[in-house]
Amino acid sequence: MKKHNYSAGPCILPQEVFKQSAEAILDFNNSGLSILEISHRSKDFLAVMEEARALVLELLGLEGKGYQALFLSGGASLEFLMVPYNVMKVDGKAAYLDSGTWASSAIKEAKHFGETVVVASSKSENYNHIPKNYTIPADASYFHCTSNNTIFGTQMKSFPKTAAPLICDMSSDIFSKAIDFSQFDLIYAGAQKNMGPAGTTLVVVKEEILGKTGRTIPSILDYQQHISKESMYNTPPVFPVYASLLTLQWLKKLGGIAAIEKINDAKANLLYTEIDRNPLFIGTAAKEDRSTMNATFLLVNEAHQETFDAMWKAAGISGLAGHRSVGGYRASMYNALPLESVQVLVDVMRNLENNI
Ligand SMILES: *Cc1c(COP(=O)(O)O)cnc(C)c1O
């Protein structure tokens, strides 16, 4: 039986993407070859890469606005250092918002390249909210933030206006809700949260911010090299890029980001309403900052844990355990998780209340 998959990443993808991917592994485009054995320079794969890059910009509303989309390797974690390498000026400084574990990992890498100013942090409250009311130094090479804090279940609902380029790690909420993506100069996201399987990282960059650091950048880490080679500087992760394309096609067919946002809001509403109504549960994130992608919550009385865990497992739910740094539960409700799966979880929460 197909599980209700609440895993935080890698995570659920649309069922039809699994099916189409499986078919392509056996025979890609009726070529008599598997997607796993074709050359990345073959006509069929060049078309995949071209369509994937174009569809990213189309879905984000960034066509013809000076942006390039790249499918790289190394995960979002490699972008933690590629960003300062490519955008922090030699002897310059960069500004960061410390809103969670991933933000703090990005800060750690930036420090290898120069002065790294942390404009605000919610670390002392175990990152239970998004810091607000901070000042970004006017002379920063860029400002970096994390739109959705996957581990702590908080999400930025607005972004600061900055003179400096605005750079965002959107690994866990890209393509989940309509925002003005043109306010960002660089966006990156590991595919495995909302776009595809693990193995590729999407980078969307406004070309005009590149080439200004005064630094020599090794080719493989240089965004301009990847752009000039149309995201084929070296062998790209062929299969993850293909499965990401299928997921993006699924999203477009559904009506794009505006359509999925409605579904995501309905799922989040359903679950948070139950967390707030049910006296056995309590949410861990500040209400105004709650993430529509990752809902974090605890049992008020830990004595109910064994019963609750047995109940959700019996209901076919998987991947609900919270991250060790928060404890409790984390329900990741990425684009491909159906509303019905959230209803199953809410029913289990109600049953627990009625049976205790
Ligand atoms: C998962 C995650 C990362 C790390 O991604 P990798 O691809 O494993 O390097 C970075 N940032 C955020 C917000 C994440 O959710």
Side-chain angles (χ1 to χ4, degrees):
M1 184 189 91
K2 174 69 186 150
K3 294 271 168 81
H4 302 286
N5 186 5
Y6 281 94
S7 172
C11 62
I12 188 167
L13 293 173
Q15 198 60 31
E16 67 182 71
V17 169
F18 294 139
K19 209 165 156 278
Q20 290 169 294
S21 300
E23 282 161 9
I25 284 180
L26 294 174
D27 186 359
F28 181 52
N29 285 356
N30 296 317
S31 61
L33 294 166
S34 164
I35 180 93
L36 302 181
E37 65 181 335
I38 59 167
S39 164
H40 62 291
R41 306 268 175 216
S42 64
K43 188 168 67 44
D44 279 0
F45 185 71
L46 289 177
V48 167
M49 183 60 100
E50 195 179 322
E51 186 182 348
R53 296 179 70 209
L55 193 47
V56 164
L57 297 183
E58 181 188 329
L59 288 166
L60 298 177
L62 293 177
E63 283 167 311
K65 292 184 176 165
Y67 290 84
Q68 292 278 350
L70 301 169
F71 285 89
L72 305 181
S73 305
S77 298
L78 185 60
E79 302 315 311
F80 294 164
L81 61 109
M82 279 181 78
V83 163
Y85 224 145
N86 283 266
V87 197
M88 195 194 296
K89 291 192 172 67
V90 171
D91 297 326
K93 65 171 90 151
Y96 278 73
L97 183 65
D98 181 21
S99 57
T101 304
W102 295 116
S104 125
S105 300
I107 291 165
K108 179 168 167 246
E109 300 309 317
K111 285 180 177 166
H112 292 296
F113 296 88
E115 187 184 345
T116 303
V117 181
V118 178
V119 298
S121 173
S122 48
K123 186 173 184 190
S124 59
E125 285 94 13
N126 201 30
Y127 296 118
N128 67 357
H129 67 283
I130 302 282
K132 294 167 195 88
N133 303 321
Y134 43 84
T135 309
I136 298 164
D139 58 347
S141 295
Y142 62 87
F143 172 68
H144 178 285
C145 56
T146 311
S147 53
N148 185 69
N149 298 283
T150 324
I151 293 175
F152 299 95
T154 62
Q155 187 173 34
M156 295 178 76
K157 307 297 173 184
S158 66
F159 297 89
K161 301 249 174 303
T162 57
L166 181 57
I167 296 184
C168 191
D169 175 358
M170 291 195 189
S171 291
S172 52
D173 69 350
I174 192 160
F175 302 116
S176 72
K177 60 177 183 156
I179 51 179
D180 175 12
F181 290 96
S182 72
Q183 68 191 300
F184 303 96
D185 295 278
L186 193 155
I187 296 165
Y188 61 90
Q192 71 274 17
K193 309 279 168 56
N194 222 3
M195 190 181 70
T200 189
T201 314
L202 174 65
V203 173
V204 179
V205 58
K206 202 169 196 177
E207 272 196 275
E208 66 181 31
I209 71 163
L210 299 175
K212 296 181 174 170
T213 61
R215 180 182 283 121
T216 308
I217 306 171
S219 310
I220 188 81
L221 299 179
D222 185 347
Y223 291 131
Q224 287 184 314
Q225 286 281 348
H226 288 286
I227 291 169
S228 72
K229 296 292 185 326
E230 300 181 333
S231 207
M232 294 271 200
Y233 171 76
N234 66 329
T235 314
V238 169
F239 183 69
V241 172
Y242 179 63
S244 297
L245 171 62
L246 294 175
T247 311
L248 296 170
Q249 287 172 336
W250 166 84
L251 180 58
K252 181 177 172 176
K253 215 164 56 184
L254 205 80
I257 293 179
I260 201 74
E261 177 176 18
K262 288 205 186 91
I263 301 169
N264 288 334
D265 283 348
K267 290 186 290 185
N269 261 327
L270 180 60
L271 183 56
Y272 284 121
T273 301
E274 179 62 15
I275 290 170
D276 292 339
R277 185 209 62 78
N278 192 322
L280 301 185
F281 295 96
I282 183 166
T284 63
K287 281 193 183 170
E288 73 272 16
D289 298 328
R290 278 174 166 176
S291 166
T292 53
M293 294 282 100
N294 313 93
T296 49
F297 56 100
L298 307 171
L299 273 166
V300 173
N301 182 351
E302 279 189 17
H304 297 143
Q305 186 184 334
E306 208 176 310
T307 314
F308 180 56
D309 290 356
M311 284 172 74
W312 60 257
K313 281 173 194 161
I317 288 172
S318 167
L320 200 64
H323 190 273
R324 60 191 177 279
S325 53
V326 186
Y329 301 94
R330 170 171 52 170
S332 297
M333 300 174 280
Y334 298 120
N335 283 355
L337 185 86
L339 181 63
E340 300 80 72
S341 290
V342 181
Q343 189 61 56
V344 170
L345 173 57
V346 165
D347 289 345
V348 170
M349 293 165 79
R350 287 187 188 146
N351 284 342
L352 182 73
E353 183 190 15
N354 295 335
N355 289 313
I356 274 179

